[in-house]
Amino acid sequence: MEYSQFLPFSADGNRGFGVDLGFTYSPTEKFTVEASATNLGSINWSQDTEGYKLNEQEIAYSGFELDQFLLASDSTESAIEQFADSITDLFTPEENSDNFSTKMNRNIFLAGTINFSKKSKATVFFNSRNSFGETFNSLGGVYSKNFGRTLQLRGGLQLFNMKDMLIPVGLIVNVGPVQLGLHTDNVISVIQREKAKYVSGMFSIGLRFGKDERVKITD
């Protein structure tokens, strides 16, 4: 077992790289395919590192004799202290400043979207996310609909880690150049938090730039 502790470090010596890839393809106006792979890379740590390592150990303990415990308390206490000291010696970590590397938490996303009209669309997606050595795969679908230029509502179903059913919902409100977003991956966590395994929520604010060209048709 090995445990590494990160301490404040200088900008020199600890270097890495990261790559984000993605594309969007629309063979027709009604269908769009998109894919992305982000956080591909690693960081090499060589400056101001401090690590602690515990080697595998085996302990054989046969207990204490009952008469020894009742009749000779001094020797029993001495035996217990000796045993505790030996355990402490076995599990004393070894310090080191070895170089090591850590992989970034990569994220892979695949999706296909069908545009039913200019105001409504449905998306089916697959997401594979790595977080600190563990991989979480999700499969789901989302339907979204615009109500004028101001409001967009979305909702769907998601199979998180390919076993837990989630109900994602969200909305986007456009107020002039400001765009406000509210989203949760599991609406059950909002309604009944005690029954939800996963709780998540996101609030976003965006600013839109550019000229909104509107064409006025006259006879």
Side-chain angles (χ1 to χ4, degrees):
M1 181 175 64
E2 186 170 353
Y3 166 74
S4 296
Q5 178 182 6
F6 297 96
L7 299 176
F9 56 87
S10 63
D12 298 330
N14 299 295
R15 303 184 184 278
F17 72 95
V19 178
D20 295 340
L21 303 173
F23 77 91
T24 300
Y25 175 63
S26 298
T28 66
E29 292 184 358
K30 289 187 173 293
F31 188 68
T32 301
V33 177
E34 56 184 314
S36 65
T38 59
N39 292 337
L40 303 177
S42 63
I43 301 176
N44 298 316
W45 304 91
S46 59
Q47 293 289 331
D48 299 321
T49 62
E50 184 174 342
Y52 301 91
K53 183 177 181 180
L54 289 175
N55 296 320
E56 294 184 2
Q57 302 288 348
E58 293 184 1
I59 301 174
Y61 175 65
S62 58
F64 297 98
E65 296 292 337
L66 183 60
D67 56 351
Q68 180 185 14
F69 180 77
L70 295 176
L71 301 178
S73 59
D74 294 339
S75 60
T76 301
E77 292 179 2
S78 177
I80 293 176
E81 291 178 357
Q82 184 178 1
F83 178 74
D85 292 340
S86 63
I87 294 294
T88 302
D89 294 337
L90 286 175
F91 290 97
T92 300
E94 299 178 2
E95 296 186 22
N96 64 74
S97 56
D98 298 338
N99 300 342
F100 64 97
S101 64
T102 55
K103 292 184 178 180
M104 300 178 66
N105 294 327
R106 64 114 179 98
N107 188 23
I108 297 175
F109 182 79
L110 304 172
T113 300
I114 299 177
N115 299 302
F116 299 111
S117 66
K118 293 183 178 180
K119 294 185 177 181
S120 64
K121 62 182 179 180
T123 301
V124 178
F125 66 88
F126 171 78
N127 178 239
S128 178
R129 185 177 74 253
N130 182 270
S131 180
F132 300 102
E134 294 189 36
T135 300
F136 301 93
N137 296 324
S138 298
L139 181 67
V142 177
Y143 175 80
S144 62
K145 184 175 179 61
N146 295 333
F147 296 88
R149 293 176 174 269
T150 305
L151 178 64
Q152 181 189 94
L153 298 179
R154 60 181 62 179
L157 293 174
Q158 179 180 351
L159 195 61
F160 178 75
N161 213 19
M162 307 306 287
K163 62 179 181 179
D164 297 318
M165 185 66 70
L166 306 181
I167 304 176
V169 296
L171 62 87
I172 295 176
V173 179
N174 297 312
V175 183
V178 179
Q179 186 178 80
L180 305 176
L182 186 63
H183 177 82
T184 177
D185 286 336
N186 191 14
V187 70
I188 298 177
S189 65
V190 179
I191 301 173
Q192 295 179 315
R193 287 182 295 177
E194 67 279 0
K195 294 184 178 181
K197 288 185 177 181
Y198 306 98
V199 178
S200 69
M202 181 179 66
F203 174 73
S204 61
I205 300 177
L207 297 177
R208 297 183 299 170
F209 298 92
K211 184 178 180 181
D212 186 9
E213 297 184 357
R214 301 184 183 182
V215 178
K216 184 177 180 180
I217 301 176
T218 58
D219 294 334

